[in-house]
Amino acid sequence: MISFHTLDFLFFLFPFFIIILLLFRFRSKQNSTKEYFQAEGSLSWFVAGTAMVATTFAADTPLAVTEIIRAQGISGNWIWWYMAVGGFITVFFFSKLWKRSGASTDLELIGLRYSGKEAEFLRGFKAFVIGFLLNLVILGWVNLAMLKIIPVFFPNLTSSYILIYLLLFGVFYTSIAGLRGISYIDVFQFFLAWFGCILFAYYAVNLPMIGGLEGLKSKLSGNKIHFFPNGSEGGLPWDHFLILLTVLWWSSWYPGSEPGGGGYIAQRILATKNENAALKGSLWFVVAHYFVRPWPWILVALVSIVLYPNLSEVESGKGFLMVLQEGMPNGMMGLMLSAFLAAYLSTLATHLNWGASYLVNDLWKPILQKGKSDSYYLKISYTIQILTAVCSYILAVYGMETIKGAWVFLLEASSGIGFILIARWFFWRISAWTEILAFILSPIFYLVFSVYLEIGFPYSILFTAISSAILLILSTFVLPQTDRNILFQFYNRTKPPYFFWKGLYKNETNQKQTIYHNKLLVSFFGTFSGLFFVFGGLYTVQCLLWSEGLLFLGMPIFLFGLAGLYFSIQSLEEKD
């Protein structure tokens, strides 16, 4: 075992101590499924937004970013930075719609938006596929990251055994805490992990063999520190960059960046106090996720290229961890171990709770076992969480190799689904049959374009997304429509832009027509302002770090985005 200093042991034990204290604080509140899965809709914007950030800050994230940077340099990060487009659209177009819906989970929206047996089937099908099967893939790569991390800290112990104990602790505190407790624990875990990564990056860049930022820059090839794709060998190709920004954000389902919002993002939006908290919480998540966090990871990944240039693709993510062995001060090893544990446990807890919420609220409760008590459904949720943890462990140990590979698989296999998740809010003709068809077409087109025709990423997504969108739009004029009374109720409940729903009222003389005037221009302005703020901010940091680039361009874009965000939030905020 690596020799730990007293400070290392203190930092290692610290997060467990805080988690246990918070568990005592929230243990007595778990007496209903609404509290357990939705915190009774009482979270502040800061707690809800930070909990979203903590969940996306998994133990695998720095390792996956390291894999990307070692392969394609800083510009390779656009493979996930592009998701900010969909993130800001969720903030300004969908966050309030979600909160108005009053649903407990995003899948409950299916019962509010669609009608008939097909809606019931779709809700149950998605609960099982997303809440269990896809959730296993996500937790599988999170567990895989821990299997890569544990040997760095405990080289003489069996990683798979330690992972079992971590899973048991995660299941234990998830079952006790519920969404409210998990969210508050997430706030602590996020700031612990973020602070640890900042310190780690500082010490890594200032290692004697690196020599600070200038030394790091001099030891790297030029294409590794390019912010934008430039067509150089080993960098992100320009055509890939354009497809990411123009197609992927609306086409692919991906946890934490679902088109139109969804998953645990929707869960936290629905758990906020009101529409203002939903708007601000989702905004804080996007800003923190894409702008506040990435640079410490990027710097350590670049240091790993200098120190360990010959790592294989499968081992490349470990470069982030191996830097820890290079002359870090006392306490740094323990602090980073705490940071990784915090990141791992926050993601594990949210996904266990979120997956169970789907299987209980959208499958077990409305379909398999109706009319039971909340205590019964809570017991079922505990069982589901244990089963999910066990299966995700098996998948990580026996079924995965690289974290980035799981990312790309999800993006490709789901690239025909995203369009319909957005369109269902705006086009009244979309029915449950349309969404079912999307789930059928997406994997079929993935197999055709990616596997059979061997079209590479991201062109496989481009062809799948466009082909699916065309067929889905055409299908709305052929497939059975949703009951019109359900549509009227949904429109009056969520208040989407009337422009896209006016066709519903055509030739309807017996329905009261209420026009809800949405501030669409402000929403568009807020979206673009957010993108200017995040991308301009990232580029400004790039210019300041490497003393090159167009700082005179990046800084004004960043500041304009900040001012635009302030104006947009003020305009969209509901006055008390």
Side-chain angles (χ1 to χ4, degrees):
M1 185 184 300
I2 290 176
S3 178
F4 273 20
H5 188 269
T6 303
L7 280 175
D8 294 309
F9 282 110
L10 289 175
F11 282 129
F12 169 64
L13 296 174
F14 180 60
F16 293 100
F17 176 72
I18 297 297
I19 289 172
I20 290 171
L21 285 180
L22 289 171
L23 286 180
F24 278 110
R25 169 68 175 80
F26 294 105
R27 173 64 184 92
S28 62
K29 294 181 179 293
Q30 310 310 321
N31 52 21
S32 71
T33 54
K34 186 173 179 62
E35 168 63 31
Y36 190 73
F37 293 128
Q38 204 183 3
E40 293 285 354
S42 62
L43 296 183
S44 69
W45 69 265
F46 181 75
V47 172
T50 307
M52 297 180 207
V53 189
T55 301
T56 56
F57 190 169
D60 67 291
T61 313
L63 276 63
V65 169
T66 301
E67 290 178 5
I68 291 168
I69 291 175
R70 290 182 68 93
Q72 295 183 315
I74 292 175
S75 68
N77 283 289
W78 287 101
I79 197 174
W80 65 280
W81 282 344
Y82 82 87
M83 296 176 184
V85 179
F88 280 112
I89 286 175
T90 296
V91 171
F92 289 104
F93 286 90
F94 296 105
S95 61
K96 288 192 172 188
L97 299 184
W98 278 113
K99 186 60 183 173
R100 289 174 197 149
S101 74
S104 297
T105 67
D106 60 312
L107 296 191
E108 190 175 322
L109 188 79
I110 292 171
L112 302 175
R113 172 63 177 80
Y114 305 132
S115 61
K117 291 291 185 182
E118 63 271 22
E120 183 179 273
F121 166 79
L122 176 63
R123 185 178 176 185
F125 172 76
K126 290 183 72 173
F128 178 73
V129 172
I130 299 176
F132 186 68
L133 297 182
L134 286 180
N135 203 27
L136 285 185
V137 175
I138 298 164
L139 286 175
W141 81 53
V142 172
N143 288 334
L144 176 63
M146 287 308 296
L147 290 175
K148 294 174 181 284
I149 291 166
I150 291 169
V152 175
F153 298 97
F154 307 106
N156 298 322
L157 299 180
T158 304
S159 301
S160 56
Y161 292 166
I162 296 177
L163 181 61
I164 290 175
Y165 288 116
L166 290 176
L167 278 169
L168 287 174
F169 180 73
V171 171
F172 166 73
Y173 98 71
T174 302
S175 300
I176 291 177
L179 184 66
R180 187 191 303 271
I182 289 170
S183 298
Y184 279 91
I185 291 171
D186 279 351
V187 173
F188 158 71
Q189 290 173 326
F190 166 68
F191 284 103
L192 172 65
W194 183 44
F195 177 70
C197 286
I198 290 173
L199 278 184
F200 184 28
Y202 172 80
Y203 286 119
V205 169
N206 287 286
L207 287 170
M209 58 282 282
I210 299 299
L213 289 171
E214 286 300 319
L216 178 60
K217 180 181 177 182
S218 66
K219 294 176 176 65
L220 292 166
S221 61
N223 68 313
K224 292 299 183 186
I225 61 172
H226 287 147
F227 183 78
F228 294 106
N230 65 350
S232 61
E233 184 177 355
L236 181 70
W238 263 109
D239 53 346
H240 290 198
F241 173 71
L242 293 174
I243 293 173
L244 292 174
L245 283 180
T246 58
V247 177
L248 259 70
W249 69 264
W250 59 263
S251 64
S252 292
W253 182 96
Y254 187 83
S257 62
E258 297 88 344
Y264 57 80
I265 301 300
Q267 184 190 36
R268 297 292 165 70
I269 290 174
L270 291 166
T272 54
K273 293 179 179 179
N274 50 44
E275 292 180 28
N276 291 339
L279 180 70
K280 291 180 178 179
S282 53
L283 174 62
W284 163 235
F285 158 65
V286 178
V287 170
H289 180 45
Y290 296 102
F291 175 54
V292 173
R293 292 187 315 183
W295 276 109
W297 305 335
I298 293 170
L299 291 173
V300 175
L302 292 173
V303 168
S304 78
I305 296 174
V306 175
L307 298 180
Y308 316 107
N310 299 318
L311 292 178
S312 67
E313 181 180 354
V314 173
E315 297 294 312
S316 62
K318 283 187 177 181
F320 186 93
L321 303 166
M322 294 168 67
V323 178
L324 274 171
Q325 302 170 357
E326 302 292 339
M328 292 289 127
N330 291 333
M332 195 66 236
M333 185 72 72
L335 179 59
M336 283 308 296
L337 177 57
S338 291
F340 277 113
L341 287 175
Y344 170 72
L345 290 172
S346 65
T347 303
L348 174 67
T350 291
H351 277 276
L352 290 176
N353 181 276
W354 167 60
S357 75
Y358 276 11
L359 293 169
V360 170
N361 192 71
D362 300 296
L363 180 61
W364 212 276
K365 200 172 184 178
I367 299 174
L368 299 181
Q369 290 286 330
K370 300 179 181 179
K372 299 288 186 178
S373 66
D374 270 10
S375 61
Y376 169 81
Y377 293 122
L378 287 174
K379 290 176 183 177
I380 294 297
S381 73
Y382 303 149
T383 304
I384 289 171
Q385 289 169 20
I386 294 171
L387 178 63
T388 302
V390 171
C391 293
S392 70
Y393 170 83
I394 295 171
L395 181 62
V397 173
Y398 300 107
M400 287 185 171
E401 286 189 349
T402 68
I403 300 161
K404 180 186 173 185
W407 278 20
V408 173
F409 166 75
L410 264 187
L411 290 174
E412 288 189 301
S414 68
S415 54
I417 298 172
F419 168 77
I420 217 67
L421 299 180
I422 293 175
R424 65 184 180 179
W425 291 95
F426 295 132
F427 189 32
W428 63 274
R429 278 185 172 271
I430 300 295
S431 68
W433 290 112
T434 321
E435 197 165 329
I436 291 171
L437 182 60
F439 270 86
I440 296 172
L441 290 177
S442 188
I444 290 176
F445 281 134
Y446 163 71
L447 292 174
V448 170
F449 293 123
S450 184
V451 179
Y452 180 71
L453 297 179
E454 297 182 345
I455 297 174
F457 175 88
Y459 281 99
S460 56
I461 292 179
L462 175 65
F463 288 117
T464 298
I466 294 176
S467 300
S468 298
I470 292 172
L471 288 179
L472 290 171
I473 291 172
L474 294 175
S475 73
T476 63
F477 299 96
V478 178
L479 294 172
Q481 295 181 13
T482 301
D483 181 271
R484 297 177 81 86
N485 287 324
I486 294 292
L487 292 174
F488 293 131
Q489 292 171 18
F490 179 79
Y491 174 73
N492 287 303
R493 183 172 190 163
T494 59
K495 305 177 179 63
Y498 172 74
F499 176 81
F500 301 99
W501 284 76
K502 60 184 179 181
L504 176 65
Y505 289 90
K506 188 177 181 179
N507 300 325
E508 288 287 339
T509 58
N510 61 335
Q511 286 290 340
K512 181 181 178 182
Q513 182 175 351
T514 305
I515 300 176
Y516 297 108
H517 296 284
N518 300 79
K519 299 179 179 179
L520 289 178
L521 290 179
V522 176
S523 297
F524 276 112
F525 182 71
T527 299
F528 283 105
S529 295
L531 293 174
F532 287 162
F533 176 76
V534 166
F535 295 153
L538 287 170
Y539 183 64
T540 298
V541 175
Q542 164 88 4
C543 296
L544 293 172
L545 286 175
W546 311 117
S547 300
E548 66 175 30
L550 303 176
L551 181 60
F552 67 88
L553 180 62
M555 184 66 78
I557 291 175
F558 169 69
L559 294 176
F560 173 80
L562 178 61
L565 279 178
Y566 178 80
F567 168 79
S568 301
I569 293 297
Q570 291 296 309
S571 299
L572 293 173
E573 199 171 6
E574 299 293 333
K575 305 303 179 185
D576 295 328

